[in-house]
Amino acid sequence: TPRVFSGIQPSGGLTLGNYLGAMKRFVDMQNEGSHETVYCMVDMHAITVWQDPDKLRRATRELCAGFIAAGIDPNKSILFNQSQVAEHAQLAWIFNCVARMGWMQRMTQWKDKAGKNQQNASLGLLAYPALMAADILVYHATHVPVGDDQKQHLELTRDVAIKFNHDYGVDFFPITEPVIEGAATRVMSLRDGSKKMSKSDPSDASRINMTDDADTIAKKIRKAKTDPDALPSEEKGLEDRPEARNLVNIYAALAEQSVDAVLREMGGKQFSEFKPILSDLAVEKLAPISTEMARLMQDPAEIDRILGHGAQQAREIAAPILKKTYDIVGMISST
Ligand code: TYM
């Protein structure tokens, strides 16, 4: 059976962008049942920029609670945190030696996150994509569901697999397929339709957090930036209207409808009418998740137990693939 892998960083809270662009898709792929699904809290990626240790621990548990509350079933999917499975870091080292500096320096995330003072960014931030390739390839995963912003990293994962196979004359690592699908592959800021919704945006009003209560969600949607026109009845009417497009995309993803179907129903409505409809739907879909997250967070020991069990299952897949990789590279590993 084909294997799905994806990861989310436990840095800050979950946003509606993470949920619609990634987590909800993870749940769909789990429930389709035609793939083995492996989902990871990538704590080692998170520390490429400094994290307060207590906050990192809490964010990792909260992310795990988010996965479960959103519908990931630890009996159907493998759910764990990256640092508990040492094979990720071990394969990442090999990939550090396969990937080229130039590949890393071209990554837009590196350029954005390192900013002007690259000399002072962590070496881990530069090597980030090699660890990401290791996350995926240590399971020989074939499908990786992500939001649109991860596309370049997945291309690099393919390049690493191709170069490794070529350099060692093997056909060992699969060429993974990005799965970037649905109406919400790129959820934008509620304050600026040209910026991605992000947990690192200084304005809390720019995003919906998965832990926001009903009033907060309603207020943020009410205040979301829009233009003065009514909604169009066809998708081409959203051209050059990024804020309108974003709210329609969010509605479509939450309602599990196509953008066309949404516009057929909502076309002609003013935002004063559409926004309350959207905010009711958002509250209806998100409130049960945040309630369940809060409930799960009352028992951190149970969350740690789930992560430990998931890590054990993950190691069973990863260990033989790493061992074979060591063999190919010429490293002696007894047993
Ligand atoms: P991260 O933690 O930034 O985001 C997790 C997932 O959420 C998606 N996402 C969005 N989708 C739509 N609209 C948005 N505004 C939005 N914001 C975030 C991201 O595309 C991602 O799918 N490098 C990854 C983590 C990672 C990973 C992996 C992913 C590490 N190893 C291996 C896949 C496979 C990241 O920083 O995601």
Side-chain angles (χ1 to χ4, degrees), residues 5-9 17-18 21-22 42 45 109 128 132 135-136 144-150 153 184-187 196-197 199:
F5 179 93
S6 199
I8 299 185
Q9 294 194 61
N18 297 134
V42 291
H45 277 111
Q109 182 184 289
Y128 182 112
M132 182 161 160
D135 295 339
I136 296 165
V144 185
V146 285
D148 182 71
D149 60 335
Q150 295 300 313
H153 284 152
T185 57
R186 194 168 174 80
V187 178
K196 178 180 84 158
M197 182 182 285
K199 47 196 154 199

Side-chain angles (χ1 to χ4, degrees), residues 268-303:
K269 286 197 198 307
Q270 296 293 333
F271 280 104
S272 55
E273 208 181 331
F274 177 64
K275 280 178 165 180
I277 301 175
L278 172 60
S279 110
D280 286 349
L281 179 67
V283 169
E284 177 196 322
K285 300 283 180 179
L286 305 180
I289 299 177
S290 73
T291 307
E292 179 63 3
M293 276 173 80
R295 193 189 68 78
L296 291 164
M297 281 299 280
Q298 313 226 308
D299 191 354
E302 172 62 9
I303 291 182

Side-chain angles (χ1 to χ4, degrees), residues 5 7 40 42 44-45 82 88-89 91 95 128 130-141:
F5 179 93
C40 184
V42 291
M44 295 199 300
H45 277 111
Q82 188 184 30
H88 290 241
L91 185 60
F95 287 170
Y128 182 112
L131 176 59
M132 182 161 160
D135 295 339
I136 296 165
L137 294 174
V138 85
Y139 300 100
H140 275 192

Side-chain angles (χ1 to χ4, degrees), residues 46-65:
I47 62 160
T48 55
V49 294
W50 190 81
Q51 304 289 325
D52 176 86
D54 285 330
K55 285 192 184 143
L56 178 62
R57 249 185 300 273
R58 185 183 160 83
T60 305
R61 291 188 181 124
E62 196 171 81
L63 180 53
C64 183

Side-chain angles (χ1 to χ4, degrees), residues 16-331:
L16 182 66
N18 297 134
Y19 175 64
L20 293 178
M23 210 174 247
K24 192 166 184 303
R25 309 274 308 121
F26 301 174
V27 175
D28 294 341
M29 293 185 97
Q30 166 192 271
N31 294 342
E32 278 165 25
S34 47
H35 302 87
E36 189 177 356
T37 43
V38 184
Y39 298 125
C40 184
M41 281 126 263
V42 291
D43 46 9
M44 295 199 300
H45 277 111
I47 62 160
T48 55
V49 294
W50 190 81
Q51 304 289 325
D52 176 86
D54 285 330
K55 285 192 184 143
L56 178 62
R57 249 185 300 273
R58 185 183 160 83
T60 305
R61 291 188 181 124
E62 196 171 81
L63 180 53
C64 183
F67 269 106
I68 296 169
I72 296 297
D73 176 349
N75 295 311
K76 290 188 191 156
S77 294
I78 299 179
L79 190 60
F80 69 106
N81 60 311
Q82 188 184 30
S83 57
Q84 286 205 67
V85 180
E87 283 79 1
H88 290 241
Q90 292 174 296
L91 185 60
W93 180 259
I94 304 218
F95 287 170
N96 281 343
C97 302
V98 170
R100 306 289 94 180
M101 291 283 283
W103 300 3
M104 301 295 160
Q105 285 163 336
R106 274 199 296 278
M107 292 288 117
T108 52
Q109 182 184 289
W110 157 252
K111 289 190 239 174
D112 289 349
K113 283 206 180 176
K116 286 195 186 71
N117 196 356
Q118 294 192 349
Q119 294 303 314
N120 202 34
S122 76
L123 187 53
L125 191 64
L126 181 65
Y128 182 112
L131 176 59
M132 182 161 160
D135 295 339
I136 296 165
L137 294 174
V138 85
Y139 300 100
H140 275 192
T142 46
H143 295 79
V144 185
V146 285
D148 182 71
D149 60 335
Q150 295 300 313
K151 209 170 169 174
Q152 198 185 26
H153 284 152
L154 293 185
E155 278 160 17
L156 189 131
T157 299
R158 294 161 71 98
D159 290 341
V160 167
I162 291 167
K163 189 167 191 306
F164 180 95
N165 290 345
H166 175 266
D167 287 357
Y168 291 100
V170 290
D171 181 15
F172 184 60
F173 286 116
I175 311 306
T176 36
E177 283 300 326
V179 183
I180 305 175
E181 281 170 7
T185 57
R186 194 168 174 80
V187 178
M188 307 309 279
S189 156
L190 298 179
R191 308 298 309 162
D192 176 352
S194 69
K195 271 187 7 201
K196 178 180 84 158
M197 182 182 285
S198 159
K199 47 196 154 199
S200 56
D201 192 309
S203 159
D204 192 60
S206 73
R207 64 180 158 265
I208 292 173
N209 304 302
M210 293 306 286
T211 48
D212 283 345
D213 60 26
D215 287 347
T216 310
I217 294 174
K219 187 164 153 223
K220 286 176 176 176
I221 292 178
R222 195 165 61 238
K223 293 199 164 166
K225 187 175 166 204
T226 47
D227 57 42
D229 297 336
L231 283 175
S233 43
E234 283 177 20
E235 192 168 355
K236 67 172 176 347
L238 291 173
E239 269 167 34
D240 303 320
R241 297 180 65 188
E243 286 86 12
R245 174 184 293 277
N246 189 38
L247 295 185
V248 170
N249 283 349
I250 291 172
Y251 185 94
L254 286 169
E256 304 187 19
Q257 290 176 1
S258 69
V259 167
D260 270 340
V262 172
L263 292 178
R264 248 178 276 129
E265 197 184 328
M266 302 289 168
K269 286 197 198 307
Q270 296 293 333
F271 280 104
S272 55
E273 208 181 331
F274 177 64
K275 280 178 165 180
I277 301 175
L278 172 60
S279 110
D280 286 349
L281 179 67
V283 169
E284 177 196 322
K285 300 283 180 179
L286 305 180
I289 299 177
S290 73
T291 307
E292 179 63 3
M293 276 173 80
R295 193 189 68 78
L296 291 164
M297 281 299 280
Q298 313 226 308
D299 191 354
E302 172 62 9
I303 291 182
D304 293 0
R305 196 197 58 75
I306 291 169
L307 292 175
H309 176 67
Q312 206 176 321
Q313 294 174 298
R315 270 194 303 269
E316 275 168 32
I317 305 172
I321 293 176
L322 181 74
K323 184 171 169 19
K324 182 78 207 279
T325 310
Y326 276 7
D327 264 0
I328 291 170
V329 170
M331 287 165 165

